[in-house]
Amino acid sequence: MTTQTAPQTAEAAPRPAAIASALASGSRPRRPGALSESLTFGWRALLKIKHSPEQLLDVTLSPVLMVLLFTYLFGGAIAGSVEDYIAFLAPGVLVQSVLIVSMYTGATLREDIDKGVFDRFRALPIWRPSALVGMLLGDTVRYTVAAAVTAIACLFIGWRPAGGVAGVAAGTAVMLVFAFALSWIWTFIAMLVSSQRALMGIAWIAVMPLVFGSNIFVDPSTMPGWLQGWVDVNPVSHAVTAVRDLMNGVSAGSELVWVAGWSAALVAVFGTLTMWRYRDPR
Amino acid sequence: MADLAIETQGLVKVYGATRALDGIDLAIPRGGVHGFLGPNGAGKTTAIRILATLIRPDAGTARVLGRDVIHQAHEVRSLVSLTGQFASIDEDLSGRENLRLIAKLYGYGGASATGRADELLEAFGLDDAAAKQVKNYSGGMRRRMDIAASLVATPEVLFLDEPTTGLDPRSRNEVWDIVRALVAHGTTVMLTTQYLDEADQLADRISVIDHGRIIAEGTSTELKASVGAGSLHVRVMHRDDRERARGILIRELGVEVEAMSDPQALVAALEDRGRVTRAITALEDARIELAQLSLGQPTLDEVFLALTGHAAEPGDDAEEAA
């Protein structure tokens, strides 16, 4: 082996002797646990936000636009007055903002796969779902920002939740759990399609009936029967009702059970499908 | 068995109608560099990705350091590292953050993760750029960063997929130095390349792969020997002498001598280098003046051409199926 002298230029060169000593000291510590690995990936998601905070723009601006659009454009027509409608709309639009933001989790994952960094994670001796779980945990920060901005916009317009701070916090917590579970749909689609554009196309088609075919914007009693049938089983409706009840200071009771059941089912089905594709993605 | 780094039998991977791997058998001992040489789309990347547990073979078995890549995948992952063809680091994060991330995933605590990251950044000459986002790195720096990320926990086997593709000559030499440092440490390096001189420079043994099959294997000297002892290139001073010179060379060398399109040039593929001296003396005795005379080892290009019937030049075909 020849040891070349490092050229005396501005850009530093690798130092073979230092590499040799780094190799000699690279013994492996004890393997961290699944939770610690997931949190490390969550930390990565936060670092990305730190480096490009502009990625929070979509989670802050679009919910505000939604709130303004629906309250002022449709508020009078739907509920008689803006003040009456905001009480009904606010919890629902909170859920809607979070669901739409959650689609970007799939986009981030697709980008990781396309850029190759995902291969690095898959080749590591770690608990396999941790990269995805961590990514979703990191995204709950984005979801919380979206929820907070939406809530502030609604408060500004005149929303006065009867449940108070505690009710809003409980509703937000339920919403985050539901969004985490629903995100596994997006991770699965990200594993199936071959481009970010295709992913977003499919995700929008999937999210439309979930968001609009629900009780977010209007009381379903005015809808035709078949649509009411869908709204009743739509997991988003259950999430919205639960969040609405908590924020309005009403007991959410059975709706919480529904949300918990749906969340568990979503993770069980789409989490499993995602991990199945994870072994051999495109 | 345990002294084999890599052992495969009948490895097959099919993508649609393409047999990316069409029955690969390998037995690669520990230590040194094993080169996987072939043109784009030959199946090199597919083979490496199977060995690094990133994709699963459709048929056949593969063992890395005695562990099965399907049934003992987790164990394999804890012994090997992969540096992919494309930068497998997070471009949005800084160099130091990338290394700290991986160190943490290997179980280094906060301070020791930072220590390990800084140790590697310094060794790879990246300490000045440590706080910069990787997307602002040059190609050579990115590649070094990528290899550094593979060495956070020292692997026993390191897969390098086309480590110097797209690099300038200086960065390429730096990567070669890194590979030599790894080998000196005792790491087994498995390297894919479409550059013949790279395989020649680095690899102790080379598997030549084409259309998903291994078509030859051996040291670079052995591969060269398999296509003869090299070639003799002669240019006569006066073109009128060429036919006479050709006759003498055929007689003295005992092989066919080809007249090139250059009206003064002759080329002979040698079987025995020992007869060259006598042939030159005979030309001198016949008073044929020579403008140029050279005796060359066959290049791996010639080897590849002889083995496959087509050149090994990187083609423009679609990138290898991932």
Side-chain angles (χ1 to χ4, degrees):
Chain A
M1 195 194 97
T2 53
T3 313
Q4 297 182 343
T5 35
Q8 302 299 313
T9 48
E11 198 180 321
R15 305 174 184 96
I19 293 172
S21 88
L23 285 170
S25 60
S27 62
R28 286 153 199 252
R30 217 159 52 88
R31 218 197 114 183
L35 178 67
S36 155
E37 288 159 1
S38 302
L39 290 175
T40 301
F41 280 108
W43 172 69
R44 166 177 179 249
L46 297 187
L47 284 176
K48 284 168 105 72
I49 295 176
K50 186 193 89 182
H51 280 293
S52 41
E54 68 274 10
Q55 61 171 290
L56 286 178
L57 213 62
D58 59 343
V59 308
T60 48
L61 280 185
S62 74
V64 174
L65 288 175
M66 281 289 176
V67 172
L68 295 178
L69 179 76
F70 279 97
T71 33
Y72 288 108
L73 202 63
F74 303 133
I78 295 172
S81 76
V82 168
E83 289 71 29
D84 289 340
Y85 189 46
I86 191 71
F88 176 81
L89 177 73
V93 93
L94 273 171
V95 174
Q96 185 225 19
S97 337
V98 170
L99 291 191
I100 287 178
V101 168
S102 77
M103 293 193 304
Y104 290 93
T105 300
T108 314
L109 173 59
R110 190 63 239 175
E111 191 180 327
D112 277 355
I113 297 174
D114 291 340
K115 288 206 169 157
V117 63
F118 204 58
D119 281 348
R120 158 101 43 212
F121 299 148
R122 292 202 309 130
L124 289 173
I126 50 177
W127 182 58
R128 298 218 100 190
S130 62
L132 298 168
V133 172
M135 187 180 276
L136 296 179
L137 286 179
D139 272 347
T140 55
V141 172
R142 284 156 40 82
Y143 303 164
T144 311
V145 170
V149 170
T150 315
I152 290 166
C154 292
L155 286 169
F156 199 74
I157 288 172
W159 179 45
R160 295 293 173 267
V165 176
V168 173
T172 307
V174 169
M175 192 164 66
L176 291 180
V177 170
F178 180 70
F180 173 86
L182 193 93
S183 298
W184 289 98
I185 298 181
W186 315 135
T187 58
F188 177 55
I189 298 175
M191 298 275 181
L192 285 183
V193 300
S194 54
S195 76
Q196 214 175 34
R197 189 183 295 186
L199 165 77
M200 289 314 280
I202 297 173
W204 271 108
I205 291 169
V207 89
M208 285 292 176
L210 285 172
V211 166
F212 290 97
S214 75
N215 56 357
I216 290 182
F217 301 104
V218 291
D219 185 336
S221 62
T222 60
M223 299 175 188
W226 58 268
L227 189 54
Q228 282 190 34
W230 159 246
V231 171
D232 284 345
V233 295
N234 184 352
V236 173
S237 302
H238 291 290
V240 169
T241 311
V243 171
R244 202 173 267 157
D245 287 350
L246 286 169
M247 292 186 173
N248 288 334
V250 185
S251 160
S254 65
E255 290 300 327
L256 283 179
V257 179
W258 272 105
V259 174
W262 266 113
S263 301
L266 286 168
V267 174
V269 174
F270 288 97
T272 310
L273 285 172
T274 301
M275 291 320 295
W276 165 69
R277 289 294 302 182
Y278 188 90
R279 295 190 323 189
D280 206 347
R282 291 171 56 86
Chain B
M1 191 181 91
D3 51 349
L4 281 181
I6 288 156
E7 195 186 7
T8 73
Q9 269 126 30
L11 221 48
V12 170
K13 182 75 184 175
V14 181
Y15 287 107
T18 318
R19 291 178 82 80
L21 292 186
D22 196 7
I24 297 269
D25 300 313
L26 290 170
I28 299 173
R30 275 175 185 248
V33 178
H34 191 94
F36 237 35
L37 175 69
N40 263 341
K44 307 184 299 286
T45 298
T46 308
I48 281 225
R49 287 170 65 84
I50 289 176
L51 292 172
T53 75
L54 289 179
I55 50 176
R56 297 152 72 93
D58 294 322
T61 59
R63 300 173 83 80
V64 176
L65 298 163
R67 277 85 165 178
D68 188 281
V69 295
I70 297 172
H71 302 111
Q72 293 164 292
H74 195 85
E75 283 181 59
V76 173
R77 281 179 211 125
S78 66
L79 296 169
V80 308
S81 269
L82 167 75
T83 298
Q85 200 169 342
F86 307 102
S88 38
I89 32 182
D90 192 331
E91 296 188 330
D92 293 335
L93 304 190
S94 72
R96 181 181 284 119
E97 285 165 347
N98 263 294
L99 294 181
R100 282 177 64 202
L101 174 74
I102 293 164
K104 283 180 169 197
L105 292 171
Y106 273 115
Y108 283 90
S112 60
T114 310
R116 181 66 180 159
D118 288 344
E119 184 182 11
L120 285 165
L121 287 165
E122 212 211 307
F124 281 81
L126 293 166
D127 29 355
D128 290 340
K132 274 203 274 182
Q133 278 179 288
V134 171
K135 64 171 118 179
N136 299 321
Y137 283 18
S138 70
M141 290 163 74
R142 223 178 256 231
R143 197 83 304 224
R144 277 185 268 148
M145 183 68 223
D146 216 351
I147 299 175
S150 297
L151 305 180
V152 170
T154 305
E156 295 197 30
V157 176
L158 176 66
F159 297 107
L160 288 175
D161 194 5
E162 302 202 5
T164 62
T165 299
L167 293 189
D168 60 63
R170 191 185 138 197
S171 303
R172 194 169 71 153
N173 278 320
E174 288 174 356
V175 169
W176 288 0
D177 282 346
I178 294 169
V179 172
R180 291 185 184 113
L182 279 160
V183 171
H185 174 74
T187 299
T188 308
V189 177
M190 177 135 177
L191 168 118
T192 75
T193 182
Q194 44 179 316
Y195 300 129
L196 305 155
D197 60 326
E198 182 162 271
D200 215 357
Q201 281 273 336
L202 291 179
D204 302 299
R205 291 184 68 80
I206 298 168
S207 299
V208 184
I209 181 167
D210 192 39
H211 295 301
R213 290 171 175 277
I214 307 274
I215 54 171
E217 204 169 273
T219 63
S220 106
T221 322
E222 282 166 5
L223 289 177
K224 287 171 179 173
S226 70
V227 293
S231 46
L232 178 71
H233 295 254
V234 172
R235 254 181 124 241
V236 293
M237 190 69 84
H238 310 289
R239 57 178 69 173
D240 305 340
D241 288 341
R242 186 164 83 160
E243 262 320 295
R244 217 151 47 88
R246 182 161 174 264
I248 293 169
L249 288 175
I250 290 174
R251 191 181 72 229
E252 296 296 333
L253 295 172
V255 294
E256 186 49 42
V257 176
E258 225 177 308
M260 308 303 282
S261 51
D262 174 351
Q264 288 160 270
L266 291 167
V267 173
L270 298 175
E271 272 165 13
D272 176 7
R273 287 170 158 254
R275 299 171 75 165
V276 171
T277 331
R278 224 169 48 197
I280 294 165
T281 315
L283 290 175
E284 207 182 307
D285 292 346
R287 300 192 177 278
I288 296 174
E289 276 182 278
L290 299 184
Q292 214 174 4
L293 176 83
S294 65
L295 186 59
Q297 273 254 333
T299 64
L300 275 169
D301 274 305
E302 287 167 348
V303 173
F304 206 88
L305 191 62
L307 289 169
T308 64
H310 60 87
E313 287 310 304
D316 297 325
D317 24 301
E319 120 204 357
E320 213 162 301

